[in-house]
Amino acid sequence: MIELSENVIKGQSRAVARAISWIENDHEMKESLIDQIYPYCGKAVVWGITGPPGSGKSSLVDHLIFRMRAVGKKVAVIAVDPSSPFSGGAILGDRIRMQKHATDEGVFIRSMASRGHLGGVSGATSDAIKVLDAAGYDLILIETIGVGQTEIEVMELSDVVLLVLVPGLGDEIQALKAGVMEIGDVFVVNKSDRDDADKVRAEVKYILEFKEQNGNYIENPVVMTSAKLNEGIDQLLKDTENYLHNINLKGQLEARRKLRILNEINRIISGKIEEELKTFITQKEKLDNWIEKIYQKKCSPYSFVNENFKTFLKEYKKP
Amino acid sequence: MAKKIRILIAKPGLDGHDRGAKYIARALKDAGYEVIYTGIRQSPQAICKSAIQEDVDFVGLSLLSGAHNELFPEVVSLIRKEGGDNIIIFGGGVIPNDDISYLKKKGIEAIFTPGTPIKDVINFIEANKSRISH
Ligand SMILES: Nc1nc2c(ncn2[C@@H]2O[C@H](COP(=O)(O)OP(=O)(O)OP(=O)(O)O)[C@@H](O)[C@H]2O)c(=O)[nH]1
Ligand SMILES: [Mg+2]
């Protein structure tokens, strides 16, 4: 076993940190690392926390860490923030609200930028979860800003998703209805210390009435919190744990986890085929030359791909 | 895939002004780096743990007034003790010339005083990035 895997399993935070870097940088030993730690995974529960910018996700995470530490659980956080599409850089600032826990040995916080990952940030997050799980963290909290497809994919890695809404979103709640509302399991109306929080709660309940209700339907909790006043957090914990308990009883948790494995296999397969195919095609002729041919209308994009894909399937042998 | 350079920008000490630190953080983001920002009034212990968990390549310490001669070296020695041997540490703030050579001896590799063009910071990072470990 490589040394890093051993140290991850021992729960050494420096090793955990380095392992996540290996994942982010697509290190050549990454797959061996995951292979070796995988048997030690399976104990952690993963909560996703998403919602519009500034809704109080990190502040809530901070409170959740306190509660979980009080009952002796080890907690890890992965906070995903968007990268700049222009420079590729990022400012990762979620830690600011959680720094009280920085020196607590039972807490591990890692910030991750959303761009520049092979297999997308969901691929990287999925492997980072394995590292944290194998290292012995009981609860893994994943924070994303709930807007795009990328973030939804990250949320699909969790056992339960907390969708954080706030008063004053205006029409945004309408927009949220379309995609993001569907991924929420527990609905949190944060900033309940503000006016109109009740209105948001009513609106959420109203929207939820339209959800498909088959025999296996488990009611989605709607919880009012104020991270500022430290109110409603115990209720949030109770409702979330209760929800997890119920989906577990009905076999939905297992189904969810298996679906995740299916998605993961698909992601790895497409990634590998893509990589091999690209190398194969560009070995024969430079991609630039192909582009030139298509540009000159000597072949169409489809005929280019089909031709090459056929020879790829015929001639390809793994070196 | 090229490795992204990760930089922790941290503010030790008691002063509550983080305009400078935020400015640096934004400029480094615009230069294409991943910047982790921890907010004001961080203890050397918290800075050290954050640097380790985030597995950063560089730590930039910002302090407007006061205890840089105590706090900066303390961060360096904590990080080294925790196994962050290759993390490159620099500092910024209102720091008298006399203190700069002392801090350099203590492992703060560069000091940027107010008014330093951001280009200098980027040049420093680019000049040293071959030393980072993986
Ligand atoms: N009034 C009020 N303010 C809150 C509450 N929770 C968080 N805030 C404030 O809202 C702002 C954003 O809080 P964060 O916890 O950083 O929100 P976030 O959703 O993590 O933000 P991003 O990660 O940037 O999307 C901060 O100024 C908090 O102090 C709350 O319950 N009530
Ligand atoms: Mg946040």
Side-chain angles (χ1 to χ4, degrees):
Chain A
M1 196 185 271
I2 47 181
E3 206 186 333
L4 191 62
S5 310
E6 278 174 27
N7 291 336
V8 165
I9 294 160
K10 284 184 201 150
Q12 286 179 10
S13 60
R14 173 133 185 86
V16 170
R18 182 46 56 96
I20 296 176
S21 296
W22 276 24
I23 291 161
E24 288 206 275
N25 299 326
D26 200 36
H27 191 280
E28 55 186 15
M29 302 277 278
K30 174 189 88 176
E31 293 185 7
S32 312
L33 169 80
I34 299 295
D35 289 348
Q36 291 171 0
I37 63 163
Y38 195 70
Y40 298 85
C41 295
K43 292 186 277 293
V45 180
V46 185
W47 293 16
I49 312 210
T50 193
S55 51
K57 302 177 291 293
S58 301
S59 307
L60 286 168
V61 166
D62 178 47
H63 286 298
L64 291 174
I65 300 175
F66 269 117
R67 300 297 199 285
M68 289 298 183
R69 292 300 293 144
V71 294
K73 290 192 177 166
K74 289 179 76 185
V75 187
V77 179
I78 303 174
V80 182
D81 271 323
S83 313
S84 155
F86 304 107
S87 69
I91 293 188
L92 312 170
D94 295 305
R95 282 192 82 97
I96 297 175
R97 317 252 173 246
M98 311 170 194
Q99 276 302 83
K100 286 170 230 120
H101 308 284
T103 54
D104 180 346
E105 295 291 339
V107 178
F108 186 98
I109 302 167
R110 179 65 172 241
S111 318
M112 208 184 262
S114 62
R115 279 204 163 208
H117 295 287
L118 205 74
V121 68
S122 53
T125 309
S126 157
D127 283 344
I129 289 171
K130 296 184 187 81
V131 166
L132 294 165
D133 188 352
Y137 291 94
D138 304 293
L139 176 68
I140 302 170
L141 302 170
I142 312 202
E143 174 183 338
T144 66
I145 295 178
V147 272
Q149 187 57 36
T150 316
E151 288 77 14
I152 291 177
E153 275 168 29
V154 174
M155 281 301 116
E156 280 167 355
L157 303 169
S158 2
D159 296 323
V160 64
V161 176
L162 279 54
L163 178 58
V164 183
L165 301 166
V166 283
L169 286 176
D171 288 341
E172 269 177 61
I173 200 162
Q174 298 294 326
L176 283 170
K177 255 200 284 193
V180 190
M181 285 301 269
E182 276 134 53
I183 61 161
D185 296 303
V186 176
F187 292 80
V188 188
V189 180
N190 189 42
K191 308 201 183 182
S192 64
D193 50 282
R194 288 204 181 156
D195 292 345
D196 291 341
D198 283 322
K199 245 162 85 184
V200 179
R201 181 168 182 266
E203 202 168 339
V204 170
K205 289 213 155 186
Y206 178 75
I207 293 167
L208 286 176
E209 281 169 15
F210 289 98
K211 260 187 118 163
E212 205 179 323
Q213 304 193 0
N214 55 30
N216 264 337
Y217 177 74
I218 293 161
E219 201 173 329
N220 299 100
V222 183
V223 193
M224 306 272 278
T225 60
S226 168
K228 186 183 171 187
L229 304 176
N230 195 2
E231 280 173 10
I233 317 285
D234 291 321
Q235 189 66 41
L236 174 59
L237 263 174
K238 209 175 114 200
D239 285 357
T240 307
E241 279 172 346
N242 200 24
Y243 184 87
L244 270 166
H245 178 75
N246 286 335
I247 59 169
N248 192 20
L249 279 186
K250 297 211 175 173
Q252 290 177 11
L253 186 58
E254 189 178 318
R256 217 177 252 213
R257 288 176 170 176
K258 285 186 173 159
L259 179 65
R260 209 181 301 158
I261 293 176
L262 175 68
N263 290 339
E264 180 162 30
I265 295 173
N266 282 337
R267 186 174 59 233
I268 297 171
I269 291 177
S270 343
K272 288 201 182 273
I273 290 182
E274 191 182 318
E275 209 181 298
E276 300 284 346
L277 187 60
K278 268 191 190 153
T279 333
F280 178 83
I281 290 173
T282 49
Q283 253 166 16
K284 288 190 359 189
E285 197 167 341
K286 270 205 169 127
L287 204 54
D288 284 347
N289 294 345
W290 287 112
I291 292 171
E292 194 55 34
K293 277 183 197 166
I294 297 172
Y295 181 73
Q296 303 280 350
K297 312 289 178 294
K298 290 192 176 122
C299 68
S300 91
Y302 282 120
S303 61
F304 156 72
V305 172
N306 285 334
E307 214 170 280
N308 279 287
F309 193 56
K310 261 179 222 146
T311 31
F312 173 77
L313 291 177
K314 237 186 306 177
E315 292 174 19
Y316 178 76
K317 278 181 200 72
K318 187 124 184 96
Chain B
M1 185 162 292
K3 183 203 156 9
K4 275 260 182 254
I5 293 178
R6 289 167 68 83
I7 306 169
L8 181 80
I9 296 294
K11 267 194 73 60
L14 295 176
D15 76 88
H17 303 281
D18 64 348
R19 263 184 52 190
K22 280 181 175 160
Y23 169 75
I24 289 281
R26 256 196 314 274
L28 294 177
K29 176 200 83 175
D30 292 340
Y33 306 116
E34 288 181 3
V35 183
I36 293 102
Y37 183 58
T38 56
I40 56 174
R41 300 202 178 101
Q42 297 294 303
S43 69
Q45 288 75 13
I47 294 171
C48 166
K49 292 285 183 194
S50 308
I52 298 291
Q53 292 179 2
E54 299 287 352
D55 198 16
V56 293
D57 309 301
F58 292 82
V59 172
L61 299 170
S62 159
L63 190 58
L64 276 190
S65 59
H68 49 261
N69 280 350
E70 292 80 51
L71 293 172
F72 285 12
E74 196 183 342
V75 172
V76 177
S77 74
L78 284 172
I79 287 180
R80 300 297 178 241
K81 211 160 61 195
E82 291 269 333
D85 306 322
N86 295 305
I87 298 177
I88 299 163
I89 301 166
F90 61 95
V94 189
I95 293 166
N97 268 336
D98 290 349
D99 293 347
I100 292 180
S101 57
Y102 169 77
L103 290 173
K104 285 198 171 158
K105 255 187 280 170
K106 289 286 180 184
I108 322 291
E109 297 195 29
I111 297 283
F112 302 100
T113 48
T116 311
I118 193 71
K119 192 99 200 54
D120 290 6
V121 183
I122 294 167
N123 286 342
F124 168 75
I125 291 164
E126 290 300 310
N128 287 285
K129 69 177 186 190
S130 60
R131 286 165 51 207
I132 65 186
S133 73
H134 298 104

